[in-house]
Amino acid sequence: MLKQCELNEVFYSASIREIIDNEHSIQETIKRIKRGDALIIRSLYSEDLLNRICNYLSDIAKCSLPYYQKIEEGCANNHRVVSWDPRSYTQACFHQFSFFPWNQDVFNLFEKAAPVFQLKNLLSGLPANKFLGTESEDGCISRLSFHFYPSGLGAMNKHRDPVDTHQLTVPLMLMNKKGRDYIAGGGFAERSDGSKVYFDNLMEPGDILFLNARVPHGVDLIDPETKNSNFINDKGRWTTIFAVNKLHGNKNISNAIDLERSD
């Protein structure tokens, strides 16, 4: 039976190193995340870097065909459009760009992202550099997943992600700013009374959210008043997911559970 969990409190840290380098801080943070608290770490990456990455990904979206790629040993970095695909475990609408540590890239993304993956691993009771090599471990691999939710289209159903031997939390970084780059909707987590906490309202570009993966969360429709939207426009919400994903065929880890899907 999947243990249930709801959002409790949101707490903050000014430095990721303050937690990584302190065993007591690691253990206290584990306790808080397990009980449903959410950690936000401020300003880990500059907005200039995030803008350059978003512009690079936008150019890829405009100049190459999206395609579906199974997560397999040695697979290529890729991008795909997800538009309420019934084959997805969680129904959603966004443009996804996936990067894997066995591939090199122009930004050295995994070198830059290493502290986030290291903290994710430590909070999951794992060695800091687990899943960060050029080969998979235990049928899993780290993946940087950039998500663009276009204004007028982008959303994701409320769901729970799996908590297993590979993870306790799935860190998320906000890459642009609510109130400037998009106005309405955005990422939320659910409290036990069913109310929503919109964590986009609590974050600035470059902030990282560490949330218990079992807490119900999703993305409400971005800018629902926007008309004639598409997947290659420049308005919408950008995020980064610091994921550890199972390889295709790994049946030892459960899948995400869509809490709104009826079929």
Side-chain angles (χ1 to χ4, degrees), residues 51-218:
N51 287 337
R52 287 189 286 120
I53 292 172
C54 290
N55 290 337
Y56 170 70
L57 297 176
S58 293
D59 288 343
I60 290 173
K62 294 170 184 175
C63 299
S64 64
L65 289 173
Y67 69 98
Y68 171 72
Q69 168 71 61
K70 295 177 182 177
I71 301 178
E72 297 177 310
E73 196 84 41
C75 67
N77 298 337
N78 62 87
H79 72 105
R80 65 174 180 145
V81 169
V82 179
S83 185
W84 308 111
D85 189 335
R87 296 169 294 183
S88 299
Y89 294 117
T90 301
Q91 291 291 281
C93 184
F94 60 95
H95 201 147
Q96 180 183 62
F97 304 80
S98 295
F99 291 77
F100 300 93
W102 46 58
N103 300 317
Q104 294 183 319
D105 66 85
V106 298
F107 286 99
N108 292 319
L109 288 169
F110 278 89
E111 180 180 333
K112 291 179 171 63
V116 182
F117 279 110
Q118 288 167 349
L119 180 54
K120 171 187 170 74
N121 283 331
L122 292 171
L123 295 177
S124 303
L126 298 168
N129 292 311
K130 185 84 168 178
F131 310 120
L132 284 173
T134 55
E135 295 181 358
S136 63
E137 297 182 68
D138 302 332
C140 296
I141 191 65
S142 293
R143 175 173 64 146
L144 278 168
S145 185
F146 299 95
H147 291 184
F148 175 61
Y149 296 86
S151 292
L153 291 175
M156 179 179 288
N157 277 3
K158 181 176 67 177
H159 64 284
R160 300 181 194 270
D161 289 312
V163 170
D164 211 308
T165 55
H166 68 310
Q167 68 182 17
L168 168 64
T169 178
V170 184
L172 176 145
M173 177 170 64
L174 193 63
M175 299 183 73
N176 60 355
K177 185 173 177 61
K178 186 174 182 180
R180 181 190 67 196
D181 302 303
Y182 61 101
I183 305 301
F188 68 85
E190 189 173 80
R191 295 192 186 276
S192 57
D193 62 2
S195 63
K196 295 178 178 179
V197 175
Y198 287 90
F199 47 79
D200 290 17
N201 297 341
L202 308 176
M203 299 172 67
E204 296 291 329
D207 290 355
I208 313 285
L209 173 76
F210 289 79
L211 179 72
N212 188 317
R214 288 183 178 138
V215 170
H217 58 284

